[in-house]
Amino acid sequence: MPFTLTTPLYYVNDRPHLGSTYTTLACDAIARFQRLQGQQVEFITGCDEHGQKIQRTAAAAGLTPQVHCDAVSARFRDLWHSWQISNNHFIRTTEPRHRAIVEQFFARVEANGDVREGRQQGWYCVACEEYKDDPAAATDPSCPVHQRPLEWRDEMNLFFRLSRYQEPIERLVASPDFVSPASRQREVQNFVAGGLKDFSISRLDVPWGIPVPGHEGHTFYVWFDALLGYLSALLQNDDPPDLELAISRGWPADLHVIGKDILRFHAVFWPAMLLSAGLELPKRVFGHGFLTREGQKMGKSLGNVLDPELLLERCGPDAVRWYLLRDIPFGDDGDFQQQRFSDLVNNDLCNTIGNLLNRTTSMARKWFDGGVPPAGAALKTSHPLAITAAAASAQFDDAMAALEFRGAAESLLRLAETANGYLNTQAPWKQMKQPGQEAAVGADLYAVLEVSRSLAVLLAPLVPDLSARMLSQLGQPALVSGADRETGDVVTTESGLATTESGSTWHPVRQWGLLRPGDPLPEPVPVMQRLELDSPL
RNA sequence: GGCUCGGUAGCUCAGCUGGUUAGAGCGUGGGAUUCAUAACCCCAAGGUCGGGAGUUCAAGUCUCCCCCGAGCCA
């Protein structure tokens, strides 16, 4: 069974922003972590492209919806590519195969008696694509989120009988692992406890949508259509658009990572839809927080949006990935602070980790004939640094499995600090000046080199590029954690080292003592450039 | 208005079922050192734990009230 993981399917109303980048980066780290452990991963992202809002946005720009969607979704695709996101699926809900999946799914739901006609009356926010029930301000209501006037709607729609699923959904959201973090779970439980009402799944007079079979004039409500994108995404390129086939490719999802604003759709509506169609439920829905910038909401009106493309260009992928994953507790809201960003990147990545590698390879080359020193006593797993490294790596795994990127990063930092401290205590540069100490110095350096290698190996899911650069400084090949893992080719490690565990690029290189004494080390080059941000991003 | 979270050093946060002088990292100040990306290592200053009352031998940690921030629902 593959590990199936999704980002939200991003709405193509606007260009990608930092929030979607954050979600996607986090998912990428998870995907890489799973792959490195030998899991086959189906990593899904894509775009949600239907709905009245898109229709209007396109019209306002003088474009047809299709042209608009093509342009914006290409932008998402390109952005993920330039961030080296390792998704192996990218679904657009305007693809023909998706339409077919939606039709098949709907047929199941309808056959199950869960579709009825009903009158939908109320104030509608096109920006939210949602009805707002706010009888209090009925005179001149506006959307609390978008601060735009609501539109009065009164039409016959198709409804999904969500109310039938009150009990199973209650049970589902009460189970401890389904919705996380815990604070969000309570939120969802309260919502469900309030009683589930049928919700409309079609719209009249919204041509930019998938027509509802057998219901002239109706198109599917964007959310109904969008959620199903997770299923159609699973189809491989040459697959016929068949729901059963899609399912066999990796359903149910192991994890939906979403922003907290769309929790209800994923934790309540979506599971009910799946139950109705007789499909398995996703195992986990994780609602992460939002990013602010220097304490303020990012928005066009404030003119303080942080453009992911610019950020990437000026700072590189590693810096941003590290900062976002390391500093913001995953699940909580976070604040992007430029000073802190550069402080943490420079401290953690350049000073603590990068410099550790740099100083150690430099000494090893200088005193041991340009290569890895004789290991001596440092080859034993009972070496203090070997013990510390093993503990750190166990902590790292636990934290990553729990989606606690921050804790994972910290375990690595502590390891690097220990190694730096070890060097300062042992002071090989002093010891080298005394006769007969080469063996002792060699062992110390070897141990620290091994710590550096461990760090490089463990960093792979969080900052794959940096990991590769570090390994290269150690004369080792990069780990393959990206979507190219999907080819199934067994990746040989390096220099004849054991590659026993099939399918895993990680376990074979996670043992202590794999560096071979005498192997040459390349000339030390800083693996991480310091961030010198003299102007605001 | 109801419900739910949070308010701990300048900043980001740890502090489990209440129990020695409240912790970490960053930032700041000082020291040591030279292998290294002005890096590393060590030390220090800095908090009446949002405010008030209560329970207790003992409260950041429990109860109540209030203030502030965020969110969900009305």
Side-chain angles (χ1 to χ4, degrees):
Chain A
M1 281 293 280
F3 184 92
T4 299
L5 163 76
T6 72
T7 74
L9 302 187
Y10 301 111
Y11 206 46
V12 292
N13 185 57
D14 205 355
R15 57 198 289 194
H17 55 268
L18 190 61
S20 34
T21 306
Y22 174 54
T23 314
T24 308
L25 289 177
C27 285
D28 188 56
I30 298 166
R32 287 174 187 271
F33 174 72
Q34 293 290 340
R35 286 193 196 100
L36 284 163
Q37 290 193 314
Q39 261 292 342
Q40 185 201 328
V41 175
E42 303 299 339
F43 178 8
I44 293 169
T45 188
C47 287
D48 170 14
E49 308 188 359
H50 287 306
Q52 187 163 29
K53 189 178 180 180
I54 300 299
Q55 199 177 303
R56 288 190 185 175
T57 303
L63 301 170
T64 66
Q66 189 64 56
V67 168
H68 168 84
C69 290
D70 288 349
V72 179
S73 72
R75 222 162 157 167
F76 273 95
R77 193 190 282 267
D78 292 348
L79 185 68
W80 301 153
H81 184 74
S82 57
W83 279 94
Q84 297 163 313
I85 301 302
S86 66
N87 61 291
N88 55 334
H89 299 280
F90 188 97
I91 181 70
R92 296 182 56 190
T93 58
T94 49
E95 292 172 37
R97 58 174 175 159
H98 175 64
R99 175 170 172 171
I101 295 295
V102 171
E103 286 169 356
Q104 291 165 39
F105 187 93
F106 176 72
R108 289 192 182 203
V109 172
E110 195 169 37
N112 201 29
D114 283 329
V115 176
R116 65 167 174 86
E117 284 208 332
R119 188 172 182 196
Q120 177 78 64
Q121 213 181 24
W123 293 100
Y124 193 77
C125 174
V126 176
C128 297
E129 296 282 13
E130 246 186 336
Y131 281 94
K132 305 278 166 182
D133 23 29
D134 191 357
T139 44
D140 188 22
S142 62
C143 171
V145 182
H146 294 90
Q147 285 156 351
R148 291 221 222 116
L150 298 176
E151 298 174 20
W152 179 255
R153 294 286 172 84
D154 182 358
E155 56 184 45
M156 293 302 286
N157 286 337
L158 299 175
F159 280 72
F160 172 71
R161 293 190 198 269
L162 181 63
S163 54
R164 278 189 173 178
Y165 294 92
Q166 180 75 32
E167 281 182 29
I169 296 297
E170 256 175 32
R171 250 180 287 125
L172 176 70
V173 299
S175 68
D177 299 324
F178 183 63
V179 179
S180 44
S183 54
R184 309 249 177 266
Q185 182 186 8
R186 251 167 260 127
E187 201 175 291
V188 174
Q189 280 184 285
N190 288 341
F191 172 74
V192 176
L196 296 178
K197 285 180 269 184
D198 298 348
F199 72 99
S200 72
I201 57 169
S202 77
R203 295 287 182 269
L204 283 171
D205 303 320
V206 180
W208 191 241
I210 296 176
V212 182
H215 299 270
E216 191 73 19
H218 289 264
T219 52
F220 282 108
Y221 171 47
V222 256
W223 266 108
F224 188 86
D225 151 16
L227 288 163
L228 292 169
Y230 295 138
L231 293 173
S232 8
L234 283 165
L235 289 170
Q236 293 174 2
N237 282 340
D238 302 327
D239 284 347
D242 178 69
L243 181 55
E244 276 303 325
L245 183 58
I247 289 160
S248 74
R249 297 291 187 199
W251 194 257
D254 292 86
L255 177 63
H256 289 306
V257 176
I258 56 170
K260 59 185 182 177
D261 54 330
I262 53 175
L263 194 55
R264 199 190 303 166
F265 290 103
H266 287 79
V268 179
F269 293 13
W270 176 226
M273 286 162 58
L274 288 163
L275 285 173
S276 174
L279 302 187
E280 284 191 67
L281 302 183
K283 298 192 183 112
R284 189 172 184 193
V285 176
F286 190 99
H288 73 249
F290 289 154
L291 294 179
T292 51
R293 178 175 185 187
E294 312 292 346
Q296 290 191 304
K297 266 189 185 172
M298 277 184 267
K300 280 184 203 153
S301 48
L302 278 168
N304 65 344
V305 279
L306 194 45
D307 175 14
E309 294 175 38
L310 177 87
L311 197 56
L312 178 62
E313 188 186 318
R314 284 192 57 183
C315 307
D318 295 316
V320 181
R321 289 174 75 111
W322 179 258
Y323 171 62
L324 292 177
L325 297 175
R326 174 241 133 131
D327 199 39
I328 298 165
F330 196 50
D332 292 6
D333 288 342
D335 191 35
F336 190 104
Q337 297 175 354
Q338 186 165 324
Q339 184 65 52
R340 188 167 175 79
F341 171 44
S342 65
D343 280 349
L344 287 186
V345 167
N346 291 344
N347 252 288
D348 300 344
L349 261 27
C350 303
N351 299 351
T352 305
I353 292 174
N355 184 52
L356 173 69
L357 175 67
N358 197 252
R359 67 195 296 209
T360 312
T361 52
S362 166
M363 284 186 275
R365 276 168 54 93
K366 196 174 296 183
W367 302 323
F368 293 91
D369 205 19
V372 178
L379 208 52
K380 295 192 183 136
T381 51
S382 58
H383 189 280
L385 284 183
I387 291 170
T388 310
S393 113
Q395 282 175 357
F396 179 86
D397 286 346
D398 290 348
M400 285 299 289
L403 308 185
E404 289 165 6
F405 304 120
R406 179 182 233 243
E410 269 165 11
S411 72
L412 300 187
L413 285 170
R414 263 177 261 124
L415 174 58
E417 276 158 19
T418 305
N420 272 316
Y422 183 83
L423 279 181
N424 281 62
T425 313
Q426 301 299 100
W429 49 91
K430 257 185 209 161
Q431 229 179 339
M432 259 327 262
K433 291 174 184 161
Q434 293 160 18
Q437 294 296 308
E438 278 102 67
V441 169
D444 284 342
L445 292 182
Y446 183 88
V448 179
L449 283 173
E450 269 298 313
V451 167
S452 304
R453 195 181 60 81
S454 305
L455 289 168
V457 162
L458 293 171
L459 280 168
L462 299 176
V463 278
D465 266 16
L466 175 59
S467 164
R469 271 177 272 131
M470 290 179 71
L471 286 168
S472 144
Q473 284 280 286
L474 289 163
Q476 307 289 308
L479 290 173
V480 183
S481 63
D484 33 354
R485 276 290 296 134
E486 302 290 328
T487 59
D489 295 343
V490 175
V491 176
T492 50
T493 54
E494 59 299 335
S495 47
L497 293 171
T499 56
T500 45
E501 287 182 59
S502 61
S504 165
T505 56
W506 219 358
H507 292 295
V509 295
R510 281 184 64 164
Q511 311 159 36
W512 180 261
L514 296 184
L515 286 171
R516 287 202 318 197
D519 277 0
L521 291 169
E523 184 176 349
V525 180
V527 288
M528 192 69 201
Q529 286 299 318
R530 298 180 67 78
L531 234 37
E532 312 282 358
L533 302 170
D534 31 22
S535 61
L537 285 165

